[in-house]
C-alpha cells in the first residue's frame, strides 16, 4: 500500500527534513537550507569550488576530507582569520580552496542521505532559486514522467526535533513557484503560495524571521545579507560522485 505521506500521483512535491526526504521520493530533489548550507553551496559554486556534504565535523570528517584532498570547514564559531566555515562570508573570502567538505546537521545531512538514492539532487537557496527552476524546467519538458520534490531542511530544537524554518519554506516555495508544469501536490502549492505572499518584502523579512534574528544575534548579519541575494546566482549545484558542483 502506498504511503499517504508520499504525495503519490503528483508531479511536484514538497516536504520537510530528512524524514520527509525519505518519504516523498522523486527523481529530482531540490534540497533547501537557506541559513546557511545551500546558500554557502551556491556561493562556493559561483567561485568554482566543489562542495562535499557531510553530516558532522568529527574525526570521520577529517578522514573524509583527506580522502578527496579537500579543505574541511571549521565550525562557524571556531573560524579565525583565513578559516572557512558554514558562513558564506568565509567562503567568499577563501583563497586557494577548490574542494570543500562542508558539514551541516540539516541541509548537508539530507543531501548526503539522498546521494545513494538514485535521485538527481540539487542545492537550492533564495540566491539561485530562479536559475535552479529554469534548469529543472528543461528537464521537465524533456521527460513528462519526471517527478520533482523540494525538501525544506528546517532546523533543530534543543531536543533534536525538527523546527520548521520559514526561510526554508520561502526558498523551496520560490523554486517551486518558478516551475512551469502542472501537478503540484497540496503541500507544494502551499509552499509556492508562501513565497509568493512575501516575495516583494524580501530581503527585509529574511532579516526579521527567527533564523535571521538568530544569526544576527550571534554576530553573523552578513550571512543573512548574502542569503537574501535573491536570484543573484546563476549556479545550479548538482550532487554527483559525492560532490556538489555547479551546472551553469
Amino acid at each position: 500500500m502506498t504511503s499517504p505521506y508520499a504525495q503519490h500521483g503528483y508531479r511536484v512535491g514538497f516536504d520537510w527534513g530528512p524524514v520527509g526526504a525519505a518519504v516523498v521520493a522523486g527523481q529530482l530533489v531540490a534540497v533547501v537550507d537557506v541559513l546557511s548550507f545551500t546558500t554557502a553551496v551556491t556561493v562556493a559554486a559561483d567561485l568554482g569550488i566543489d562542495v562535499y556534504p557531510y553530516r558532522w565535523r568529527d574525526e570521520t570528517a577529517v578522514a573524509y576530507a583527506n580522502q578527496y584532498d579537500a579543505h574541511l570547514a571549521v565550525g562557524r564559531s571556531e573560524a579565525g582569520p583565513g578559516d572557512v566555515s558554514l558562513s558564506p562570508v568565509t567562503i567568499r573570502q577563501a583563497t586557494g580552496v577548490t574542494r570543500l567538505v562542508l558539514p551541516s546537521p540539516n541541509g548537508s545531512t539530507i543531501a548526503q542521505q539522498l546521494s545513494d538514492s538514485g535521485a538527481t539532487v540539487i542545492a537550492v537557496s533564495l540566491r539561485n532559486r530562479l536559475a535552479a527552476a529554469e534548469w529543472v524546467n528543461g528537464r521537465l519538458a524533456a521527460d513528462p514522467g519526471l517527478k520533482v520534490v523540494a525538501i525544506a531542511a528546517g532546523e533543530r530544537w534543543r531536543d533534536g526535533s525538527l523546527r520548521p524554518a520559514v526561510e526554508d519554506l520561502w526558498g523551496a516555495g520560490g523554486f517551486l513557484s518558478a516551475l512551469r508544469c502542472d501537478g503540484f501536490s497540496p503541500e507544494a502549492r502551499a509552499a509556492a503560495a508562501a513565497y509568493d505572499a512575501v516575495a516583494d518584502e524580501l530581503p527585509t523579512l529574511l532579516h526579521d524571521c527567527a533564523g535571521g534574528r538568530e544569526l544576527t544575534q550571534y554576530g553573523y548579519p552578513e550571512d543573512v545579507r548574502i542569503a537574501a541575494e535573491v536570484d543573484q546566482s546563476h549556479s545550479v549545484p548538482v550532487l554527483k560522485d559525492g560532490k556538489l558542483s555547479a551546472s551553469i
Side-chain angles (χ1 to χ4, degrees):
M1 182 180 297
T2 301
S3 168
Y5 309 111
Q7 301 174 34
H8 180 70
Y10 293 102
R11 197 174 187 197
V12 181
F14 166 80
D15 217 294
W16 287 91
V19 176
V23 173
V24 188
Q27 293 99 331
L28 199 158
V29 182
V31 176
V32 184
D33 186 355
V34 170
L35 296 173
S36 297
F37 174 72
T38 54
T39 292
V41 171
T42 61
V43 170
D46 292 344
L47 297 171
I49 299 171
D50 294 333
V51 172
Y52 293 80
Y54 204 73
R55 289 176 174 83
W56 301 106
R57 193 187 190 285
D58 56 15
E59 291 183 1
T60 65
V62 174
Y64 190 73
N66 289 337
Q67 176 183 344
Y68 292 102
D69 192 24
H71 189 99
L72 176 60
V74 302
R76 197 190 313 245
S77 62
E78 302 166 2
D83 286 336
V84 179
S85 74
L86 190 61
S87 166
V89 172
T90 66
I91 295 173
R92 189 166 278 178
Q93 295 173 345
T95 57
V97 176
T98 58
R99 291 179 295 276
L100 177 66
V101 172
L102 192 59
S104 154
N106 300 305
S108 189
T109 295
I110 295 169
Q112 190 178 42
Q113 167 188 317
L114 292 167
S115 63
D116 297 325
S117 69
T120 297
V121 178
I122 61 174
V124 175
S125 68
L126 289 168
R127 296 186 73 250
N128 75 329
R129 63 103 200 175
L130 191 58
E134 287 302 312
W135 188 86
V136 171
N137 281 329
R139 281 144 187 81
L140 288 168
D143 183 358
L146 183 68
K147 180 177 179 179
V148 180
V149 174
I151 298 296
E155 298 293 335
R156 297 285 166 182
W157 291 112
R158 290 185 182 275
D159 66 359
S161 61
L162 176 71
R163 177 176 71 79
V166 72
E167 65 270 16
D168 294 342
L169 177 64
W170 293 335
F175 162 74
L176 293 171
S177 71
L179 295 182
R180 295 190 298 271
C181 70
D182 297 322
F184 278 50
S185 71
E187 292 82 0
R189 290 178 61 183
Y195 174 81
D196 291 340
V198 302
D200 293 339
E201 298 177 74
L202 295 172
T204 299
L205 290 182
L206 189 63
H207 287 271
D208 287 343
C209 73
R213 289 184 176 191
E214 178 185 39
L215 278 183
T216 299
Q217 180 177 313
Y218 290 159
Y220 305 104
E222 187 70 7
D223 286 353
V224 185
R225 190 195 67 75
I226 292 174
E229 295 173 344
V230 181
D231 299 334
Q232 294 303 299
S233 173
H234 300 289
S235 299
V236 184
V238 181
L239 184 62
K240 184 176 181 181
D241 297 329
K243 64 182 177 181
L244 287 156
S245 300
S247 176
I248 301 176

